[in-house]
Amino acid sequence: MALVELRNVSKIYRLGDEEIRALDDVTLDIAEGEFMSIVGPSGSGKSTLMHILGCLDSPTKGTVKLDGVMIQDASARQLAAIRNRKLGFVFQFFNLLPRLNVLQNVELPMIYSRIPARERHKRALAALESVEMANRAKHRPSQLSGGQQQRAAIARALVNSPRIIFADEPTGNLDSQTGHAILSLFRDLSQQGRTIVLVTHDSKIAAVTPRRIEIRDGKIVDELRPTAPSPAKQGLASAAL
């Protein structure tokens, strides 16, 4: 069973008599542990797809199953609870609160989960250590570089042990060298078994993920999946070990 299952999902907006299909009959499965990207130009529907996958919006038509539970008809309150328990988000502009230090920013999702202060502190420090930011725990966002702010945002996404992490243009506000470091961090997290969905307009960024889905005009128009190595290549890999 897939971790996420979309079946014939459409998102339709109406402007007067005009019908706009931001998503048009999309069917998609995401397996646990996958590292995948959704790529497409501005207006293609990729952000709408991420919003539905991330329980930030509901489809007009179709079904959405997350972790075995149908959620397409969930209320706003139910969706908020699902996001807090099961999902983590990383955004282009970091979304760190400037008045809080890094540790306090990372603790925020656990406050909403009503986790006791001592446990929040322990888990937030562990998340910061996992992204090599524990030594910046007391700094405020304004005292950090862009790459450090994004690492703090990734720690915040990790802290509730989400089933899936959604990264929306996570390198879009970073220079190329820092962006490569952040993508390397996502690869490391993927190798640890995390399920990661990266949303981007940049095909070069999408190329770091083993599975890539291209979306245009609200439809999935292309997909690249990782291929299993041939027996000969497997033998060579074993010999190298």
Side-chain angles (χ1 to χ4, degrees), residues 8-46:
N8 307 110
V9 164
S10 294
K11 183 66 179 181
I12 302 169
Y13 299 98
R14 297 189 184 278
L15 292 176
D17 294 332
E18 186 180 3
E19 182 178 277
I20 299 172
R21 288 181 171 261
L23 286 182
D24 190 2
D25 199 36
V26 170
T27 292
L28 173 67
D29 286 350
I30 302 174
E32 186 166 8
E34 273 200 292
F35 184 23
M36 63 172 287
S37 56
I38 300 170
V39 62
S42 178
S44 63
K46 65 183 185 299

Side-chain angles (χ1 to χ4, degrees), residues 223-239:
E223 180 172 3
L224 177 65
R225 286 181 175 270
T227 55
S230 67
K233 288 185 178 179
Q234 287 180 328
L236 288 173
S238 299

Side-chain angles (χ1 to χ4, degrees), residues 25-232:
D25 199 36
V26 170
T27 292
L28 173 67
D29 286 350
I30 302 174
E32 186 166 8
E34 273 200 292
F35 184 23
M36 63 172 287
S37 56
I38 300 170
V39 62
S42 178
S44 63
K46 65 183 185 299
S47 293
T48 303
L49 178 55
M50 190 205 78
H51 287 167
I52 289 175
L53 290 169
C55 299
L56 295 164
D57 201 355
S58 298
T60 306
K61 297 179 181 178
T63 61
V64 182
K65 185 184 286 187
L66 172 62
D67 205 13
V69 178
M70 289 291 191
I71 62 169
Q72 67 273 359
D73 296 323
S75 67
R77 178 174 292 185
Q78 289 169 329
L79 289 176
I82 292 168
R83 289 195 301 270
N84 185 254
R85 293 195 316 268
K86 295 180 181 289
L87 308 177
F89 295 90
V90 180
F91 298 101
Q92 178 177 350
F93 294 103
F94 321 132
N95 291 4
L96 300 174
L97 297 184
R99 294 186 178 182
L100 302 182
N101 65 32
V102 167
L103 184 68
Q104 291 166 332
N105 268 282
V106 174
E107 286 182 334
L108 275 176
M110 295 182 287
I111 292 175
Y112 299 134
S113 298
R114 299 183 179 181
I115 293 171
R118 183 175 295 181
E119 179 67 13
R120 290 200 308 265
H121 185 86
K122 177 182 175 182
R123 284 167 55 175
L125 276 179
L128 286 169
E129 287 175 2
S130 73
V131 298
E132 300 179 354
M133 281 290 292
N135 63 337
R136 297 288 190 269
K138 299 300 183 182
H139 288 62
R140 292 184 182 236
S142 61
Q143 297 172 301
L144 304 177
S145 68
Q148 289 171 335
Q149 289 187 63
Q150 195 61 293
R151 285 177 179 269
I154 293 170
R156 182 182 57 193
L158 291 171
V159 77
N160 265 346
S161 299
R163 300 286 277 149
I164 308 176
I165 296 171
F166 293 98
D168 188 6
E169 302 282 6
T171 65
N173 204 34
L174 304 173
D175 62 76
S176 59
Q177 183 176 354
T178 305
H180 287 314
I182 293 299
L183 292 175
S184 179
L185 176 58
F186 279 121
R187 279 195 295 267
D188 292 343
L189 292 170
S190 171
Q191 289 169 2
Q192 295 168 20
R194 303 276 185 178
T195 306
I196 301 171
V197 178
L198 191 156
V199 181
T200 181
H201 70 281
D202 189 336
S203 58
K204 292 180 181 177
I205 300 296
V208 306
T209 67
R211 181 184 178 196
R212 301 188 282 285
I213 290 171
E214 183 179 354
I215 186 166
R216 288 181 182 271
D217 300 323
K219 291 179 176 288
I220 294 174
V221 296
D222 196 15
E223 180 172 3
L224 177 65
R225 286 181 175 270
T227 55
S230 67

